[in-house]
Amino acid sequence: MISNKDLVEKTKPILKGSYLQVFVCLLLASVLPQIFLSISPENILLNVLSVCVSAYIQVGIALYCLEIYKGNKVGFSTIFSRFNSFKPILFMLLLGVAIVLGLILFVVPGIIIALMYSQVFFILAEDPDVGVIEAFNLSNQMMKNNKWQLFMLNLEALFYLFIGVFTLFIWWAWLIPRYSVAYSGFYLALKNED
């Protein structure tokens, strides 16, 4: 398996000259569901709509970052290209329930479950016909013996994002694209391991 350092370093030539474009696309996609919540936070319908939009955008971001990692040209519309089935919503609900149950038991099982099923959106992004349970099983298989590496990659990203606060968030325009695309590289490395 490729090291985290190599995963992140590999993103340099991939993102060369397009950091700002990727950052803006990822930022806009992440902010969109929040717009629904800000309209009326107590409105249950808007909360449900926000979760649904988040699910579709999560798959779209996975597809967007995978295509960038593979060296393909993508646009902002790629993020919205998977708004064609209810699967992302099912994925989001099942993943949310699994993580919440794990967190209720203790924090550590919730983290382990989140890591175990972390690849489901990448799996759905690459194969829209995959079954929900099949995707969760595939993610579980892929993450066997790889949870620690992803945990450390997440910890590294959080550390740098925290440090980025002291640059008035300017460093985030470089960090968010790099780590988002590195997660795609992690998924593809797991996939090639099988």
Side-chain angles (χ1 to χ4, degrees):
M1 180 72 177
I2 187 171
S3 72
N4 287 345
K5 182 181 177 192
D6 291 339
L7 277 170
V8 177
E9 283 300 313
K10 190 173 179 186
T11 65
K12 270 185 186 176
I14 293 170
L15 289 166
K16 188 176 182 181
S18 63
Y19 280 101
L20 190 58
Q21 174 196 344
V22 173
F23 175 72
V24 169
C25 285
L26 293 173
L27 184 66
L28 287 174
S30 300
V31 168
L32 190 63
Q34 302 310 315
I35 292 170
F36 291 111
L37 289 177
S38 67
I39 294 169
S40 178
E42 67 282 345
N43 189 322
I44 294 172
L45 183 61
L46 285 176
N47 284 318
V48 170
L49 185 60
S50 176
V51 169
C52 294
V53 170
S54 294
Y56 288 112
I57 287 177
Q58 194 69 28
V59 176
I61 288 174
L63 179 64
Y64 181 80
C65 291
L66 280 169
E67 292 300 317
I68 289 173
Y69 192 85
K70 292 175 184 176
N72 299 331
K73 297 275 186 207
V74 290
F76 188 64
S77 62
T78 304
I79 294 172
F80 300 99
S81 64
R82 293 290 195 238
F83 276 71
N84 54 4
S85 77
F86 287 108
K87 280 186 188 174
I89 297 169
L90 291 173
F91 277 53
M92 182 72 91
L93 290 174
L94 281 175
L95 185 60
V97 167
I99 292 170
V100 167
L101 288 175
L103 290 173
I104 288 171
L105 295 172
F106 290 106
V107 173
V108 175
I111 293 170
I112 291 170
I113 290 169
L115 292 168
M116 189 167 45
Y117 297 130
S118 61
Q119 305 306 303
V120 293
F121 290 108
F122 288 109
I123 293 167
L124 181 60
E126 272 207 321
D127 181 9
D129 298 324
V130 69
V132 176
I133 302 301
E134 181 186 358
F136 277 82
N137 288 336
L138 280 169
S139 180
N140 184 23
Q141 288 174 328
M142 292 170 90
M143 289 304 295
K144 279 190 177 143
N145 303 320
N146 293 302
K147 290 179 204 71
W148 182 252
Q149 183 176 352
L150 182 58
F151 179 75
M152 293 308 292
L153 184 63
N154 285 329
L155 214 55
E156 181 182 317
L158 285 172
F159 173 74
Y160 285 128
L161 287 170
F162 175 73
I163 290 174
V165 171
F166 299 107
T167 66
L168 302 175
F169 305 99
I170 295 167
W171 200 23
W172 284 19
W174 180 76
L175 288 172
I176 290 173
R178 280 198 79 182
Y179 280 92
S180 298
V181 173
Y183 288 126
S184 298
F186 181 81
Y187 164 75
L188 291 172
L190 288 176
K191 188 178 162 192
N192 292 335
E193 249 186 10
D194 292 343

